Amino acid sequence: MTKTKMNYGILLIVKNILTIFGPLLKGLGLNRFIFRYGNKYIAELAFQIEWAREFKKNKHKVQEYWQKYRYLNKIKTVCKIQKNTKILDVGCGISTVLHFIDGEKYGIDPLADVYKKLYKYPKEIHVQKAFGENIPFPDEYFDIVFCSNVIDHVTDPVKTIDEIKRVLKTSGYFVLTVEIFREKVKRNPAHPHCFTKKDIYSLLKSKFKIKFEEESPWIGLKNYTNNCTKFYNKELIIVLQK
């Protein structure tokens, strides 16, 4: 995501309105209208407000999804995750994978300040407001960087990938998950990008070495927690090494 025209005062007002009237808006179908046609940040906020309520009750289902469809146990093995591993989640949202792994854990998100008013992160997860295009950490700081269902949300995917590489230690691991399409389609404000598998390979180019790769049904965390397992696209899960 980008820094452009994001007024936190307005977002907080929107957050309060959506929190109070969320069930009514959902009943009228207006939440879908907001997500499809609203400002990128408001659309994302509308989704996360509803999702925060569900995630609090369904953390076990989210962990199950990560294990079953995103190969979390394999990722832990390949990346050698331990209690002293320094890990960053770019675009962490509320239901960050950091809940389900060990390590010294950090998350960044453009809406982090608002999310902290919606959800109390565990004390061992350090979350701050920041953009993938400008990660506020020194060069070669992290052992692992996750970017989960986020690269299609950001404004500049190339800059975000470059920043991830910058903050990774030499031989560090980059764990990317992204929905992939057979062909280009127009999406919605929260998803300004549409990637094919070829696009992802082009984006990564010669910047990393592939250590693990798998495709999985793209169901989505929210759908899965609501016992829906339909899927139309695939998700690419790829572990890369700097």
Side-chain angles (χ1 to χ4, degrees), residues 7-21 42 45 49 114 117:
N7 186 307
Y8 272 86
I10 293 174
L11 280 176
L12 287 174
I13 293 171
V14 171
K15 188 271 293 184
N16 291 333
I17 292 171
L18 291 174
T19 301
I20 296 169
F21 297 106
I42 292 175
L45 181 58
I49 286 172
V114 185
K117 297 180 183 298

Side-chain angles (χ1 to χ4, degrees), residues 64-119:
E64 182 180 284
Y65 186 90
W66 265 96
Q67 291 169 340
K68 187 174 182 179
Y69 293 103
R70 288 182 172 170
Y71 302 91
L72 183 59
N73 291 333
K74 180 68 174 180
I75 290 169
K76 289 178 180 179
T77 300
V78 173
C79 297
K80 306 177 182 69
I81 296 177
Q82 301 175 357
K83 291 189 180 296
N84 63 346
T85 304
K86 197 169 288 186
I87 304 170
L88 174 67
D89 189 8
V90 173
C92 61
I94 287 170
S95 57
T96 171
V97 67
L98 299 175
H99 288 90
F100 313 119
I101 55 178
D102 291 327
E104 185 179 333
K105 299 179 283 191
Y106 300 84
I108 62 169
D109 198 292
L111 296 174
D113 291 349
V114 185
Y115 291 162
K116 288 178 183 178
K117 297 180 183 298
L118 293 173
Y119 174 74

Side-chain angles (χ1 to χ4, degrees), residues 156-219:
D156 190 335
V158 173
K159 176 62 175 173
T160 300
I161 296 294
D162 286 344
E163 276 290 276
I164 288 170
K165 183 179 180 183
R166 179 185 65 78
V167 300
L168 264 180
K169 294 178 182 178
T170 301
S171 299
Y173 294 97
F174 172 29
V175 183
L176 175 69
T177 70
V178 58
E179 184 179 5
I180 50 175
F181 293 75
R182 293 185 182 90
E183 58 185 25
K184 296 287 191 181
V185 297
K186 185 175 181 179
R187 303 182 72 190
N188 53 55
H191 298 86
H193 304 285
C194 173
F195 293 112
T196 64
K197 192 173 181 178
K198 184 178 178 180
D199 292 331
I200 295 300
Y201 287 149
S202 177
L203 188 63
L204 299 170
K205 293 183 177 176
S206 58
K207 297 176 182 178
F208 302 92
K209 296 177 290 185
I210 296 175
K211 304 300 290 185
F212 171 78
E213 179 182 351
E214 193 63 73
E215 289 184 27
S216 190
W218 169 248
I219 297 168

Side-chain angles (χ1 to χ4, degrees), residues 136-151:
F137 290 96
D139 295 355
E140 300 195 1
Y141 191 77
F142 292 101
D143 299 295
I144 304 169
V145 176
F146 281 82
C147 186
S148 312
N149 187 28
V150 167
I151 202 67

